């Protein structure tokens, strides 16, 4: 079963959070509320999120300060942030949002379809990256302990059979990543989304090379695996 991605919604006004939930419910992902910057940072300590929708104007810690804290943490610095604001102060205000680490900056009232489409792109990228991490973990398990289980008479799969299964799973992820990249090109998507997709494809290429090196007769030995992050 594919686990749902988590989307963090940060706004001090309950009616705005309710509106965001109504817009994004069609994505069928897990929506997590935070009514302040402090509450958002607390949620980020324990959960992984595909994308953060962050209101700029909040009492106490505003959106810019919250984003700065998020980007300073190693665990959370790569999570995409979409700023939402009810006031358009012009290019300087928008630039400040991008400087704080946002991948997009949307003024209210916004088009629900556009917002949903932008969020769905980052959810898809997150899910593909999760699949990549799972494939890398399975391969590491085989390299580090699978052989020992087989030698001890356990029920671990034969190396050739496991490699074939991993190769098939990786091929499915590669196909989905390629389709997503084509979709981003066709829709002239945000530069941040395109860059994230390219990063994912590079990781997939590295994992494919590692698998190929483990094939019988390849002579690659215990190939080193690419980092999935």
């Amino acid at each position: 079963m594919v686990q749902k991605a988590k989307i963090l919604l940060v706004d001090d006004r309950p009616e705005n959070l309710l509106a965001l939930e109504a817009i994004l419910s069609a994505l069928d992902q897990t929506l997590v509320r935070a009514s302040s910057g402090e509450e958002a940072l607390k949620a980020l300590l324990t959960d992984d999120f595909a994308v953060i929708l962050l209101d700029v104007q909040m009492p106490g810690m505003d959106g810019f300060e919250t984003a700065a804290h998020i980007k300073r943490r190693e665990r959370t610095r790569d999570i995409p942030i979409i700023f939402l604001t009810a006031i358009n102060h012009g290019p300087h205000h928008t630039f400040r949002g991008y400087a704080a680490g946002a991948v997009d900056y949307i003024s209210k009232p916004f088009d629900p379809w556009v917002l949903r489409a932008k969020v769905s792109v980052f959810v898809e990228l997150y899910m593909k990256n999760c699949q990549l991490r799972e494939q890398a973990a399975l391969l590491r398990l085989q390299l580090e302990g699978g052989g020992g289980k087989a030698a001890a008479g356990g029920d671990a799969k034969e190396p050739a059979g496991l490699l074939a299964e991993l190769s098939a799973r990786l091929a499915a992820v590669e196909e989905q990543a390629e389709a997503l990249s084509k979709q981003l090109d066709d829709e002239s998507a945000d530069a941040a989304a395109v860059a994230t997709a390219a990063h994912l494809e590079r990781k997939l290429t590295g994992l494919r090379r590692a698998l190929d090196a483990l094939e019988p007769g390849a002579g690659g030995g215990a190939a080193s695996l690419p980092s999935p992050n």
Side-chain angles (χ1 to χ4, degrees), residues 153-192:
D155 57 359
K157 291 186 178 181
E158 290 295 326
L162 182 57
L163 285 175
E165 180 179 338
L166 286 172
S167 181
R169 292 186 182 185
L170 180 58
V173 179
E174 288 171 330
E175 183 178 351
Q176 293 171 352
E178 182 180 358
L180 180 58
S181 294
K182 289 181 179 178
Q183 177 185 348
L184 290 175
D185 290 339
D186 292 342
E187 296 178 355
S188 301
D190 298 327

Side-chain angles (χ1 to χ4, degrees), residues 39-216:
E39 191 175 333
L41 294 176
K42 185 179 296 185
L44 288 162
L45 287 174
T46 55
D47 290 323
D48 294 324
F49 291 91
V51 61
I52 302 169
L53 274 62
L54 181 58
D55 184 39
V56 172
Q57 287 85 25
M58 294 187 295
M61 184 184 296
D62 66 12
F64 296 129
E65 188 178 353
T66 303
H69 281 289
I70 292 171
K71 293 303 177 182
R72 278 198 293 265
R73 294 179 179 176
E74 184 176 356
R75 174 187 171 93
T76 59
R77 64 187 178 191
D78 293 326
I79 302 176
I81 299 174
I82 298 177
F83 271 137
L84 304 176
T85 178
I87 304 174
N88 186 356
H89 291 289
H92 177 74
H93 203 252
T94 303
F95 174 78
R96 186 183 175 192
Y98 287 118
V103 298
D104 210 339
Y105 194 100
I106 303 177
S107 297
K108 304 173 186 176
F110 45 77
D111 187 329
W113 294 96
V114 171
L115 180 64
R116 190 183 301 119
K118 288 177 180 290
V119 171
S120 68
V121 168
F122 289 108
V123 168
E124 287 188 62
L125 289 172
Y126 173 82
M127 299 299 283
K128 299 298 181 294
N129 206 33
C130 287
Q131 288 179 295
L132 177 58
R133 284 197 296 266
E134 290 174 0
Q135 307 312 317
L138 283 172
L139 185 52
R140 284 194 180 92
L141 179 64
Q142 169 60 23
L143 290 174
E144 296 171 3
K149 289 182 180 179
D155 57 359
K157 291 186 178 181
E158 290 295 326
L162 182 57
L163 285 175
E165 180 179 338
L166 286 172
S167 181
R169 292 186 182 185
L170 180 58
V173 179
E174 288 171 330
E175 183 178 351
Q176 293 171 352
E178 182 180 358
L180 180 58
S181 294
K182 289 181 179 178
Q183 177 185 348
L184 290 175
D185 290 339
D186 292 342
E187 296 178 355
S188 301
D190 298 327
V194 174
T196 303
H199 175 76
L200 176 61
E201 287 191 335
R202 287 194 297 271
K203 295 300 182 183
L204 286 170
T205 299
L207 186 55
R208 172 58 67 186
R209 288 174 179 168
L211 274 175
D212 291 343
L214 291 171
E215 290 291 340

